[in-house]
Amino acid sequence: WSNDPVSDPGGDTLYIRDEESGAVWSPTPLPIREEDAYRIHHGQGYTHFEHTSHSVEQWLTTTVPMDAEGGAPVRLQRLRLTNRSSKRRRLTVTLYCEWTLGTEREETQSHILTQWYSEHQIFTARNPYHPDFGDRVAFVASSLPILSYTGDRAEFIGRNGLLSAPAGLTRARLGGHVGAGLDPCAALQVSVEIEPNQTAEVVFVLGQAADMEEAQALVERFRPLEVFERTLATTCEWWDGVLSTVQVDTPDLAVNFLLNRWLLYQDISCRLWGRSAFYQSGGAYGFRDQLQDVMALVYAAPHLAREQIVRTAARQFVQGDVQHWWHPPAGAGVRTRISDDLLFLPFVTAHYVRVTGDSGILDEMIPFLSGRELDEHEHESFNLPEISEEHGTLLEHCRRSLAKGSTSGPHGLPLMGGGDWNDGMNRVGIEGKGESIWLAWFLIHTLNDFAELLRLRGDSEEADLQGRKAVELAAKVEEFAWDGE
């Protein structure tokens, strides 16, 4: 994660070298952009690159496998090369990637240990100092025998070198340096020989596993060339099944593409699973953020929405307030005074139950968190809370959200707190004085939603009480927040 919007440097690429002429290029525009054209095709679960240069046609397909069992923690790349010259070609293909295995390379590079297992033809990297993932193994492997390798980025790029002209590719072979104390990378070379008008292929597998045994199993599963096409087809079928559930037809073709494929795909792959974007590559869950995201999945992937609702409810303290965001798997995050995120739990739960009819989710028993409450003048606190012995149904979690979120200021309107949805408003209400009309509207909606859930459980008395609260709050908004014009 470079966080550099100007240069956006790559740390993961393939190189092709002609062994006769010494010419080096890449099948992608980064890091070596040639004058010959590139065609890049993005699909759901894969990207396809086409490029022809040096009398070699190049097709690179990158995919992350998905299937009914959930796929696998690997990234597959297949490079197809067709010789369009009149003579036999000897080429070297080099995979290069920079290891982070943590937050930023500057923090982790001195801790990463690389290793080469010749008997299994697997290159591995570990960060044993990582507090959550110290035992896990990252790995790279190839469908072709490895000609040479290195785990030393300084050796590969060269002193003051560039990825567009790496020093390692000016030498016949890589030096084979692995271990600790290096600027870590993985560079693996394979050799390809192609007769005129013939095609050769190589598949690279990059992934992570719980241990070396699992890494070996993943490599053996995905390394064979014949597996790639089948895996790609299965991945496309899985995404088609999810993304074709809802189809929208408008006069604008661009809108159709967005609504029918791309928005939902990004919602799942980026917002729900990757939880990563260029300016915010944290990987944390936001309490309200991912609850909002799964509202779009109640038709196409209701099981994912259900999982997220239950997962999020477990980040609520016994007092009813919640972690504004948290990092899995340990659960460290921030306890804040933000006033709206806890209300999204009943709001989204009601939406899910209304659409899917799955009222059984209301009976899910989910633990609460316990931890130090904020001091009087403390706006937020980052810590690792404990899992409380106290459990409650999802309906009870929703009830506590509403009880904690139903505040009242001088005009009877809810207090803005640390920012009502717009975090930029946090200075307005942080002292417990600013009232929020937006939050009042949202609270009215959520009170009515919760009443709907209560009636599903046969509790009409409490449902009527919540409905009356909504009516009273609406009257307060009308009286104090409307000037008649």
Side-chain angles (χ1 to χ4, degrees):
W1 178 48
S2 65
N3 204 28
D4 183 347
V6 177
S7 63
D8 189 14
D12 174 28
T13 190
L14 293 175
Y15 296 93
I16 302 170
R17 182 176 68 189
D18 187 303
E19 293 300 288
E20 184 174 317
S21 68
V24 175
W25 69 95
S26 57
T28 54
L30 273 178
I32 303 173
R33 190 182 188 104
E34 300 186 295
E35 293 184 1
D36 305 282
Y38 299 84
R39 177 182 291 153
I40 303 170
H41 174 99
H42 297 294
Q44 285 74 44
Y46 70 93
T47 289
H48 186 61
F49 301 85
E50 297 178 39
H51 181 54
T52 299
S53 62
H54 307 274
S55 300
V56 177
E57 291 181 2
Q58 305 141 50
W59 298 273
L60 173 65
T61 302
T62 296
T63 185
V64 174
M66 276 303 302
D67 55 31
E69 282 72 48
V74 296
R75 191 276 309 272
L76 306 179
Q77 290 182 299
R78 180 185 63 189
L79 180 63
R80 275 181 171 167
L81 303 171
T82 299
N83 179 7
R84 291 307 183 194
S85 72
S86 59
K87 60 181 181 179
R88 190 168 184 249
R89 304 293 294 275
R90 290 193 309 114
L91 305 175
T92 296
V93 178
T94 303
L95 174 141
Y96 171 80
C97 68
E98 297 173 355
W99 298 116
T100 300
L101 306 188
T103 307
E104 294 175 327
R105 283 181 52 81
E106 288 75 9
E107 295 179 7
T108 62
Q109 61 186 17
S110 61
H111 299 153
I112 293 175
L113 174 67
T114 55
Q115 196 166 352
W116 169 248
Y117 292 86
S118 58
E119 66 273 26
H120 305 297
Q121 292 279 290
I122 298 176
F123 188 103
T124 67
R126 308 169 190 254
N127 179 2
Y129 288 88
H130 196 287
D132 296 319
F133 307 111
D135 294 331
R136 298 194 75 85
V137 179
F139 59 86
V140 187
S142 166
S143 60
L144 293 178
I146 302 301
L147 195 65
S148 66
Y149 61 87
T150 187
D152 186 352
R153 181 171 173 266
E155 176 207 332
F156 185 80
I157 298 179
R159 183 178 177 87
N160 299 325
L162 299 169
L163 282 178
S164 57
L169 296 185
T170 64
R171 296 184 286 271
R173 298 289 181 267
L174 300 176
H177 299 144
V178 293
L182 303 173
D183 186 358
C185 74
L188 305 183
Q189 284 188 341
V190 299
S191 179
V192 178
E193 296 189 6
I194 321 173
E195 298 293 338
N197 295 315
Q198 296 298 304
T199 299
E201 297 182 355
V202 57
V203 169
F204 291 102
V205 184
L206 181 147
Q208 60 90 26
D211 50 37
M212 189 59 194
E213 184 178 353
E214 184 186 353
Q216 287 178 233
L218 288 167
V219 168
E220 294 307 314
R221 175 183 172 189
F222 290 104
R223 176 156 49 192
L225 280 174
E226 63 273 13
V227 172
F228 185 90
E229 198 66 44
R230 187 167 65 246
T231 300
L232 180 62
T234 303
T235 298
C236 292
E237 288 171 10
W238 189 91
W239 280 110
D240 287 344
V242 172
L243 302 178
S244 63
T245 305
V246 176
Q247 291 293 295
V248 179
D249 186 22
T250 76
D252 191 327
L253 189 61
V255 171
N256 293 346
F257 277 128
L258 279 173
L259 293 178
N260 292 332
R261 307 280 307 178
W262 283 106
L263 292 179
L264 204 59
Y265 173 69
Q266 288 296 94
D267 191 22
I268 296 172
S269 62
C270 175
R271 295 292 304 160
L272 190 59
W273 290 345
R275 302 188 298 283
S276 177
F278 200 79
Y279 288 104
Q280 192 177 33
S281 193
Y285 284 108
F287 193 93
R288 65 185 176 201
D289 296 359
Q290 273 71 34
L291 281 177
Q292 291 172 354
D293 296 332
V294 299
M295 292 182 77
L297 305 181
V298 291
Y299 298 101
H303 65 288
L304 296 179
R306 191 186 207 277
E307 289 171 4
Q308 186 60 31
I309 291 169
V310 173
R311 180 185 295 119
T312 305
R315 311 316 300 177
Q316 181 181 39
F317 293 94
V318 292
Q319 294 83 359
D321 60 322
V322 301
Q323 285 184 305
H324 185 56
W325 53 258
W326 74 93
H327 278 286
V334 289
R335 192 173 193 174
T336 73
R337 297 191 185 278
I338 292 178
S339 54
D340 72 297
D341 44 13
L342 69 171
L343 297 176
F344 273 95
L345 184 61
F347 177 71
V348 176
T349 298
H351 174 68
Y352 169 82
V353 172
R354 189 182 302 122
V355 173
T356 66
D358 177 19
S359 60
I361 192 176
L362 302 174
D363 300 319
E364 287 279 345
M365 292 299 294
I366 305 168
F368 291 93
L369 298 177
S370 63
R372 180 184 68 81
E373 293 190 64
L374 295 175
D375 296 335
E376 182 180 355
H377 300 293
E378 194 175 15
H379 300 162
E380 65 181 29
S381 173
F382 176 83
N383 52 46
L384 178 61
E386 295 180 353
I387 305 298
S388 171
E389 294 182 1
E390 184 176 353
H391 287 58
T393 63
L394 177 60
L395 192 69
E396 175 60 23
H397 280 263
C398 292
R399 181 181 284 111
R400 294 196 192 187
S401 287
L402 275 167
K404 186 71 173 179
S406 297
T407 55
S408 182
H411 301 91
L413 301 175
L415 295 169
M416 188 175 287
D420 60 341
W421 185 74
N422 182 351
D423 296 356
M425 303 290 281
N426 65 323
R427 304 302 298 172
V428 178
I430 200 64
E431 294 182 3
K433 299 175 183 177
E435 294 171 286
S436 171
I437 300 164
W438 177 90
L439 189 57
W441 289 337
F442 186 43
L443 189 53
I444 291 166
H445 197 306
T446 308
L447 286 166
N448 287 322
D449 280 346
F450 188 58
E452 191 179 325
L453 296 178
L454 290 167
R455 289 191 178 93
L456 281 175
R457 282 291 167 266
D459 194 343
S460 57
E461 185 176 344
E462 188 183 356
D464 291 342
L465 174 61
Q466 301 296 343
R468 287 196 298 272
K469 288 181 180 178
V471 171
E472 292 168 3
L473 185 53
K476 290 264 191 349
V477 174
E478 195 73 15
E479 179 181 358
F480 295 110
W482 174 247
D483 65 1
E485 298 181 9

